[in-house]
């Protein structure tokens, strides 16, 4: 059964229809399009605040706490949720559904200051690559046409259902292109393919095709939710280029060494560098790995004569390189560094080379 014209259908029906096609659904508040609030237990539970969802009892219990993490295809769960909040807006968790969303915005913001390098970061452009010049690119839809022009060859959008995304017109004039995700190698949940072009994968989400919010309906204009097509090869290559695994960036800070503490500081720096390199390619367990690294480094600070400030940026950067949000990386580093500092490790004199 295809979801061809769900406009006007009750949200629960849309949610159930999409779930029947394997789309993982969860509810958004109809007033602000954000996930519904966590229960009081989750608001008070430090594990939940640290995104340690394995320790949350609500998710296995079928509650909607933690937004996209609660997404499901279970019709009973969906029916219960929408019985409680009949006007909730269904949203789709990209990764669990095996989907990737190319989100083309039409913000009215200023175009990039340097279109030649900023419209499609990583792809240098010349003004004569578009009729009308790069200054004629006004939104994400234009930027996507430009990307197709420079990377897609003579026929960038193959016809036929195999490459047909579920394409949606959004109430603000943007486009959502829901494609079947490539084999599980999109590392970043949210990345920018270009100016006003976002890639939403993994635990990122989008408003369900066919859903209606206060600003209007997300209308399906092509494709079918039971058979989302695959990206053409050139687009897949571009998506992998920006959303695939990344090498760790260079450490942002140089730890100051003062005479007499050189060996200890060098030891801490080695621990940081090795830990950073180990965390960068992780998707599962990167929070735990970052926490363990920060805890270990925290335990060495007193011995090395360093302060948390000397290492904090470096640790946060290790988390960012693995694709964590800044907020999460910062919180994990701050907490674990403090815990480690409060439990100093013995001087690693017999382990100078880590
Ligand atoms: Zn809860
Ligand atoms: Zn929780």
């Amino acid at each position: 059964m295809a979801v061809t014209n769900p406009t006007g259908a009750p949200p629960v029906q849309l949610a159930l229809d999409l779930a029947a096609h394997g789309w993982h659904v969860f509810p958004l508040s109809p007033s602000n399009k954000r996930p519904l609030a966590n229960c009081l237990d989750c608001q008070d539970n430090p594990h939940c605040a640290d995104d340690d969802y394995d320790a949350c009892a609500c998710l296995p219990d079928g509650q909607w706490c933690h937004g996209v993490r609660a997404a499901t295809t279970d019709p009973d769960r969906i029916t219960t949720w929408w019985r409680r909040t009949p006007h909730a807006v269904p949203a789709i968790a990209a990764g669990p559904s095996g989907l990737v969303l190319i989100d083309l915005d039409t913000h009215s913001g200023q175009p990039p200051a340097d279109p030649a390098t900023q419209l499609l970061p990583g792809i240098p452009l010349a003004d004569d690559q578009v009729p009308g010049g790069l200054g004629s690119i006004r939104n994400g839809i234009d930027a996507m046409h430009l990307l197709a022009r420079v990377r897609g060859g003579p026929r960038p959008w193959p016809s036929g259902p195999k490459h047909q995304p579920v394409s949606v017109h959004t109430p603000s004039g943007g486009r959502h292109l829901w494609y079947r995700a490539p084999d599980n190698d999109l590392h970043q949940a949210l990345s920018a393919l270009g100016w006003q072009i976002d890639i939403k994968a993994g635990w990122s989400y989008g408003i369900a095709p066919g859903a209606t919010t206060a600003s209007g309906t997300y209308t399906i204009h092509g494709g079918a939710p039971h058979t989302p097509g695959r990206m053409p090869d050139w687009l897949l290559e571009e998506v992998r280029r920006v959303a695939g695994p990344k090498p760790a960036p260079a450490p942002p800070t140089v730890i100051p060494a003062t005479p007499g503490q050189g060996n200890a500081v060098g030891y801490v720096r080695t621990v940081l560098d090795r830990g950073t390199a180990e965390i960068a390619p992780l998707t599962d367990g990167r929070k735990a790995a970052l926490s363990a690294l920060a805890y270990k480094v925290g335990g060495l600070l007193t011995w090395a004569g360093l302060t948390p400030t000397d290492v904090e940026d470096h640790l946060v950067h290790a988390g960012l390189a693995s694709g964590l949000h800044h907020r999460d990386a910062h919180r994990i580093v701050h907490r674990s560094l403090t815990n480690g500092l409060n439990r100093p490790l013995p001087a690693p004199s017999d382990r100078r080379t880590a």
Side-chain angles (χ1 to χ4, degrees):
M1 167 184 59
V3 187
T4 47
N5 183 20
T7 309
V12 65
Q13 196 53 53
L14 174 65
L16 288 169
D17 287 350
L18 289 169
H21 299 310
W23 294 47
H24 289 236
V25 181
F26 69 101
L28 301 181
S29 155
S31 55
N32 62 16
K33 297 191 286 184
R34 296 172 59 96
L36 297 174
N38 291 346
C39 74
L40 292 175
D41 281 350
C42 286
Q43 289 172 30
D44 291 341
N45 184 338
H47 288 292
C48 291
D50 279 340
D51 302 350
D52 180 6
Y53 303 113
D54 289 347
C56 175
C58 289
L59 292 176
D61 196 35
Q63 306 302 315
W64 62 46
C65 300
H66 307 302
V68 64
R69 298 282 169 160
T72 184
T73 58
D74 177 356
D76 291 340
R77 212 169 265 199
I78 291 169
T79 306
T80 306
W81 287 344
W82 265 272
R83 196 177 291 136
R84 282 168 65 189
T85 56
H87 300 295
V89 176
I92 303 300
S97 307
L99 297 166
V100 57
L101 168 59
I102 310 288
D103 182 1
L104 310 177
D105 283 329
T106 51
H107 299 150
S108 52
Q110 283 294 314
D114 180 11
T117 60
Q118 293 174 328
L119 276 175
L120 301 175
I123 303 178
L125 299 168
D127 209 42
D128 60 5
Q129 274 170 293
V130 205
L134 296 178
S136 68
I137 307 291
R138 284 153 312 169
N139 56 40
I141 298 172
D142 292 347
M144 190 69 191
H145 284 304
L146 175 62
L147 179 64
R149 174 186 287 263
V150 298
R151 283 291 190 265
R155 249 182 91 244
W157 305 108
S159 54
K162 191 167 156 249
H163 290 295
Q164 173 74 63
V166 178
S167 68
V168 175
H169 290 201
T170 75
S172 61
R175 300 283 186 274
H176 284 179
L177 306 176
W178 292 91
Y179 281 102
R180 190 173 297 287
D183 296 336
N184 202 16
D185 61 353
L186 294 184
H187 195 65
Q188 314 281 330
L190 176 63
S191 1
L193 188 57
W195 179 62
Q196 296 199 6
I197 308 176
D198 285 337
I199 302 167
K200 294 181 173 175
W203 288 115
S204 218
Y205 64 87
I207 290 182
T212 297
T213 70
S215 29
T217 297
Y218 288 68
T219 312
I220 299 177
H221 269 247
H226 60 291
T227 52
R230 296 186 182 280
M231 287 181 265
D233 288 347
W234 64 270
L235 180 56
L236 177 57
E237 207 170 296
E238 290 305 310
V239 166
R240 283 208 172 112
R241 178 172 65 82
V242 301
K246 298 228 181 340
T253 53
V254 176
I255 299 169
T258 56
Q261 61 166 183
N263 280 348
V265 169
Y267 179 85
V268 172
R269 187 181 294 142
T270 305
V271 170
L272 275 170
D273 287 344
R274 289 189 184 177
T276 300
E278 281 166 15
I279 292 169
L282 295 179
T283 43
D284 292 336
R286 60 196 174 185
K287 287 176 180 168
L290 180 62
S291 172
L293 177 63
Y295 181 82
K296 180 176 184 182
V297 169
L300 293 167
L301 288 180
T302 306
W303 167 73
L306 294 169
T307 68
T309 315
D310 293 327
V311 295
E312 191 155 359
D313 283 355
H314 192 128
L315 286 163
V316 168
H317 224 76
L320 298 180
S322 75
L324 289 179
H325 286 288
H326 191 274
R327 184 181 57 104
D328 294 337
H330 208 273
R331 191 169 52 201
I332 291 167
V333 165
H334 183 75
R335 185 194 47 166
S336 301
L337 205 51
T338 307
N339 288 344
L341 190 62
N342 292 333
R343 294 174 189 75
L345 292 170
S349 53
D350 55 341
R351 297 184 286 139
R352 270 290 140 86
T353 55

